[in-house]
Amino acid sequence: MSTVDGVFDGSWDAGLSLARLADDMDFEAIVPVGRWRGFGGETNFNGEQQEPYAWAAGVGAATEKAGVFVTSHVPTVHPLFAAKQLTTIDHISHGRAALNIVAGWNSDEMAMFGIEQRPHDERYDVAQEWVDVMIKLWEHDGPIDFQGKYFDLKKAEISPGPVQRPRPVLMNAGGSGAGMHFGARNCDVIFVQPGLGEQPIEEVKAKIDTFKKLARDEYGREILVWTLAYVVQEDTETEARRFLDHYVQEKGDWTGAENLVRSMGIGDNQSIPAEVMEAMKYHFIAGWSGRPIVGTSEIVAEKLIELADIGADGVLLSWPRYLEDMAKFQEQTLPLLVEAGAR
């Protein structure tokens, strides 16, 4: 959330360049943010976005190896349509389509569709039926009936079925009690926030362990848990921290960050100390409140290996200047990860 030179602009051409670079770097997956409106401020962060299903179809056709996620908001797409769309993308990509399920947290976006937000836990009840419908469609070769509280389908079918069997990969990032149970019950990949700033690594490990234990103990499932980090890599750690401060403190969109935390329902929370609120905005500007990985290529590799060692199965990475910084990461950091066997 910054005006620094080189920041990602959200256009199709920029996104395609990043996707192809990630594919060349053998990244396992490309995961888009799904937004329908920006957060205002100087940059209107996330305001320029491609529609996620069409975007994934285009990226799937233009890449060869990486999994391509669709980030889809449950209330905005009927499950029959979503199942058919994702199946089509799975064929376009030859079995690389994946779905990041969002129950629908942004009230302003839902209002654009004329949808009134349901109570928090009920959103996951809707999402559960939504997923049940899609899985039934994917796993059956003929028409199905489905009657639930929120969806009623008669003789619904899709053909052909997905390339991936029994179904494409599912992911969710819910951190509440209802969200954690939804993810542990249904999804292959769970995404967890690592905490605010450079929290002790033991706290990140505890979050990962808790989610894996929930899936195993409550639902008899083994899941992958991913987390999020932003990378600021320079020739020295001092230079990296100086640049971090520059693109956040001097070039950051603090108005947009304020709007973002308010949209999440925490901007007006009087119980949160002012210094914590400012730190939250800082890390949203820096990289969507991921874990900071700041320093030389050696430090970056060491911090990523540390996350792997505590049980993180993957890390969603972002950079302040995507193309420039990804190229630097490819040249200087990836060889260190390959050498360490932590790829």
Side-chain angles (χ1 to χ4, degrees):
M1 303 182 70
S2 175
T3 60
V4 69
D5 289 341
V7 72
F8 180 59
D9 64 16
S11 68
W12 164 251
D13 287 339
L16 182 60
S17 296
L18 293 182
R20 285 174 166 161
L21 179 57
D23 204 41
D24 289 341
M25 293 166 70
D26 288 333
F27 272 82
E28 183 178 5
I30 304 166
V31 186
V33 172
R35 287 269 67 80
W36 290 95
R37 63 183 297 161
F39 292 102
E42 187 175 1
T43 65
N44 193 30
F45 183 67
N46 282 171
E48 186 173 358
Q49 285 282 322
Q50 313 302 314
E51 190 281 316
Y53 288 91
W55 176 91
V59 169
T63 54
E64 297 179 353
K65 295 169 286 186
V68 181
F69 275 83
V70 175
T71 297
S72 183
H73 297 74
V74 168
T76 67
V77 186
H78 190 278
L80 174 60
F81 198 56
K84 184 71 170 179
Q85 286 176 298
L86 202 71
T87 298
T88 302
I89 297 166
D90 207 35
H91 282 266
I92 290 170
S93 64
H94 302 289
R96 293 181 289 122
L99 182 63
N100 177 24
I101 303 165
V102 182
W105 61 270
N106 192 312
S107 297
D108 289 339
E109 289 186 332
M110 295 304 100
M112 291 172 63
F113 290 87
I115 298 171
E116 185 175 348
Q117 280 279 46
R118 298 180 185 272
H120 177 275
D121 287 4
E122 188 180 1
R123 296 174 213 166
Y124 285 100
D125 295 336
V126 178
Q128 185 61 59
E129 282 197 11
W130 194 78
V131 169
D132 289 343
V133 169
M134 288 199 296
I135 290 177
K136 197 171 181 181
L137 286 163
W138 284 328
E139 294 183 351
H140 285 74
D141 288 331
I144 67 157
D145 293 330
F146 183 96
Q147 185 170 11
K149 181 177 179 181
Y150 305 102
F151 298 103
D152 187 0
L153 291 80
K154 294 179 175 61
K155 293 183 171 52
E157 60 181 312
I158 57 173
S159 182
V163 175
Q164 299 173 78
R165 291 296 182 176
R167 57 168 175 74
V169 170
L170 303 180
M171 181 170 78
N172 181 252
S176 65
M180 290 179 66
H181 277 274
F182 173 82
R185 176 181 176 182
N186 300 288
C187 295
D188 309 290
V189 181
I190 301 299
F191 171 75
V192 297
Q193 284 285 352
L196 185 60
E198 298 182 69
Q199 298 289 329
I201 197 69
E202 294 79 14
E203 294 185 12
V204 184
K205 182 180 188 303
K207 289 186 175 185
I208 293 170
D209 290 347
T210 296
F211 236 131
K212 291 187 175 184
K213 186 176 187 300
L214 173 65
R216 187 178 300 117
D217 292 351
E218 294 288 328
Y219 301 101
R221 305 182 67 243
E222 297 296 327
I223 60 172
L224 301 179
V225 177
W226 293 357
T227 190
L228 170 69
Y230 60 86
V231 176
V232 185
Q233 179 181 318
E234 299 291 343
D235 292 336
T236 69
E237 184 174 0
T238 298
E239 289 175 314
R241 294 199 175 276
R242 185 182 300 127
F243 181 65
L244 171 62
D245 191 64
H246 168 69
Y247 83 81
V248 175
Q249 296 287 21
E250 298 176 24
K251 296 287 189 176
D253 185 354
W254 286 85
T255 300
E258 173 74 19
N259 294 338
L260 192 159
V261 297
R262 288 186 183 279
S263 74
M264 300 178 78
I266 53 180
D268 296 316
N269 192 332
Q270 300 299 316
S271 66
I272 299 178
E275 62 273 16
V276 174
M277 188 66 69
E278 290 304 297
M280 192 177 299
K281 296 173 191 175
Y282 182 100
H283 290 290
F284 271 120
I285 292 171
W288 199 252
S289 199
R291 185 171 180 82
I293 297 183
V294 184
T296 63
S297 58
E298 291 80 9
I299 290 173
V300 172
E302 175 188 324
K303 295 296 185 182
L304 289 172
I305 291 168
E306 183 180 50
L307 287 169
D309 287 344
I310 64 166
D313 300 297
V315 185
L316 293 175
L317 297 178
S318 64
W319 292 265
R321 302 162 299 193
Y322 263 95
L323 289 173
E324 176 183 340
D325 293 334
M326 281 181 73
K328 187 186 304 181
F329 184 88
Q330 180 182 30
E331 178 183 350
Q332 300 176 8
T333 307
L334 280 185
L336 299 176
L337 295 174
V338 172
E339 182 180 352
R343 192 53 191 280

